[in-house]
Amino acid sequence: MIRQTLPLIAIAALAACSAPAGPSKVTVADLWCRAAPVGAPAGGCYVTLTASANDRLVAVETTAADHGEIHTMEMDGGVMRMRPLKDGIDLPAGEAVALKPGGMHLMIIAPKATLAAGGSVPLTLRFAKAEPLTLSAPIRQVGAAMGGMEHH
């Protein structure tokens, strides 16, 4: 009987150690969108995300454009190319992940209005584990550096 019980206890102990520490919560900082000229087909938005547990940003939605996408920029044959990240972005527990100009970022495709400085863009960020976050990203002039803070 003891021989049969010990492996079950060991399996239960291992399962308890690998159980998630709780639901993920994501903190948002430095959220903003870049102003774009009238008629621009897309606009970029930037943010720093920190998850309390391993998580993944899987989608961005907005009512201010046809749709949102998660993108990266990388050199390809000497040319800087922007590509959508279909699987989103990993958010390791406790590590700030910056989506910034020239790197990973959010794109809003086919804005319904001009992205003018002083305005704002409603964004909903969806995660693999954490609850979605609905935010208002201030629009800043082209060339604006990351600065202001918004926390959730």
Side-chain angles (χ1 to χ4, degrees), residues 10 18 25 30-31 86 96 108 133 149:
S18 64
K25 182 177 179 186
D30 303 325
L31 175 65
K86 302 280 185 208
I108 55 172
L133 295 175
M149 304 284 284

Side-chain angles (χ1 to χ4, degrees), residues 9-11 18 57 60 80 86 92 95 101-102 121 140 151:
I9 292 171
I11 290 170
S18 64
L57 174 65
V60 59
M80 182 63 82
K86 302 280 185 208
E95 185 178 317
V121 175
R140 297 184 185 159
H151 295 273

Side-chain angles (χ1 to χ4, degrees), residues 32-38 40 42-44 46 101 115-118 138-146:
W32 64 284
C33 294
R34 185 184 301 226
V38 174
Y46 313 97
L115 300 173
I139 300 172
R140 297 184 185 159
Q141 279 297 343
V142 173
M146 294 174 73

